[in-house]
C-alpha cells in the first residue's frame, strides 16, 4: 500500500457508533483505574468516585456549561439513585478524586480502544502524527504560579497558558499519549517526553516546527522500527 493510499483511508474510516458513553468507557476500566492508583476511601461515601470520573468526562464535553447542569446532563446520582445537585459537595468530591486516577484511566482507555480498532497500516507500520496546542487558563494566582503568560513587545498576556503536545493515531484520531507543561516550554521538549510511549513498528509525521536532528534521532532509536 502506498503512503498516500493509507492516508486516504483516514477520510473514509470512522469508528462504530456507540449508543452511550458507558459503551466507550466500561465500568470495569474505571474501577481498574481507581484500584491502580489506590483512589479509595475508608468509608462509603454518598457520592461515589465513579460518578466523579463521569463528571470529569462531562466537563470535557460540555466545557461551557455550569457544573450543576453537567451533573444533570450526565445523570449523576448518589448511592441511593437520587439526583445529586449539591454543588459544594460535588466540587469537594472531585478534589478527592485527584488527577492520578484520571491520568491512569486515559492510559487504560486508549490502550483498550486501540486494541479494538483495525488501524490501516503502511508496509506493516502504524501511522501517527505529533502536534501541539496552547490553551488559556483562568487568571488565578494558582495558575499564574504554575504556568507562564505569553509575552511580546507589547507586554505580558492576560492569561496563564498551558502547552500540550500529543501523539495521535491518524486513521482513528485516537490520542495515544500527551505531554503538558507551561507555555514557556517548547513543543520539541514536550515531544521528547512522548518517545517512551510511542509504539514500535510505526511511522510518525511531524511538521517543520519539530525539526531537530536530536529529537528525530532519539525518536527513531528509542524502539524498534520507529520512523
Amino acid at each position: 500500500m502506498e503512503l498516500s493510499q493509507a492516508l486516504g483511508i483516514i477520510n473514509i474510516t470512522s469508528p462504530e457508533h456507540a449508543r452511550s458513553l458507558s459503551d466507550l468507557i466500561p465500568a470495569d476500566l474505571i474501577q481498574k483505574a481507581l484500584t491502580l492508583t489506590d483512589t479509595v476511601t475508608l468509608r462509603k461515601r454518598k457520592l461515589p468516585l465513579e460518578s466523579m470520573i463521569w463528571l470529569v468526562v462531562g466537563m470535557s464535553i460540555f466545557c461551557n456549561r455550569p457544573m450543576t447542569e453537567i451533573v444533570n446532563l450526565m445523570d449523576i446520582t448518589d448511592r441511593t439513585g437520587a439526583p445529586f445537585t449539591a454543588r459544594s459537595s460535588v466540587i469537594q468530591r472531585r478534589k478527592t478524586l485527584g488527577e492520578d486516577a484520571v491520568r491512569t484511566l486515559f492510559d487504560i482507555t486508549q490502550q483498550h480502544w486501540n486494541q479494538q480498532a483495525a488501524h490501516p497500516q503502511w508496509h506493516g507500520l502504524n501511522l501517527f502524527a505529533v502536534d501541539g496546542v496552547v490553551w488559556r487558563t483562568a487568571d488565578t494566582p494558582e495558575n499564574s504560579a504554575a504556568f507562564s503568560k505569553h509575552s511580546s513587545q507589547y507586554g505580558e498576556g492576560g492569561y496563564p497558558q498551558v502547552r500540550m503536545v500529543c501523539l495521535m493515531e491518524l486513521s482513528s484520531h485516537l490520542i495515544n499519549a500527551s505531554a503538558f507543561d507551561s507555555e514557556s516550554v517548547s513543543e520539541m521538549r514536550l515531544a521528547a517526553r512522548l518517545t517512551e510511549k510511542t509504539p514500535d513498528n510505526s511511522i510518525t509525521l511531524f511538521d517543520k516546527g519539530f525539526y531537530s536532528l536530536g529529537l528525530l534521532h532519539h525518536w527513531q532509536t528509542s524502539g524498534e522500527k520507529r520512523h
Side-chain angles (χ1 to χ4, degrees), residues 33 37 39 97-107:
T37 55
T39 310
L97 174 66
E99 63 184 52
D100 290 342
V102 178
R103 183 187 298 110
T104 301
L105 180 63
F106 167 80
D107 290 332

Side-chain angles (χ1 to χ4, degrees), residues 63-165:
C63 56
N64 294 324
R65 301 195 181 187
M67 187 175 297
T68 51
E69 185 176 348
I70 294 174
V71 168
N72 293 327
L73 284 169
M74 301 298 292
D75 198 24
I76 293 176
T77 61
D78 63 19
R79 292 190 183 275
T80 67
F84 200 95
T85 56
R87 186 175 184 274
S88 59
S89 297
V90 170
I91 292 175
Q92 184 59 44
R93 196 69 172 127
R94 181 166 61 90
K95 291 180 180 179
T96 301
L97 174 66
E99 63 184 52
D100 290 342
V102 178
R103 183 187 298 110
T104 301
L105 180 63
F106 167 80
D107 290 332
I108 293 173
T109 52
Q110 68 87 8
Q111 292 173 15
H112 173 73
W113 294 334
N114 278 293
Q115 288 171 358
Q116 288 187 328
H119 298 315
Q121 295 183 329
W122 179 68
H123 292 283
L125 303 174
N126 286 107
L127 305 174
F128 294 92
V130 169
D131 207 352
V133 65
V134 173
W135 289 298
R136 292 185 303 176
T137 68
D139 188 15
T140 64
E142 293 81 4
N143 285 338
S144 294
F147 308 111
S148 63
K149 296 180 180 181
H150 180 73
S151 59
S152 67
Q153 58 180 327
Y154 303 106
E156 189 178 63
Y159 298 90
Q161 294 183 326
V162 178
R163 188 186 303 279
M164 181 190 84
V165 171

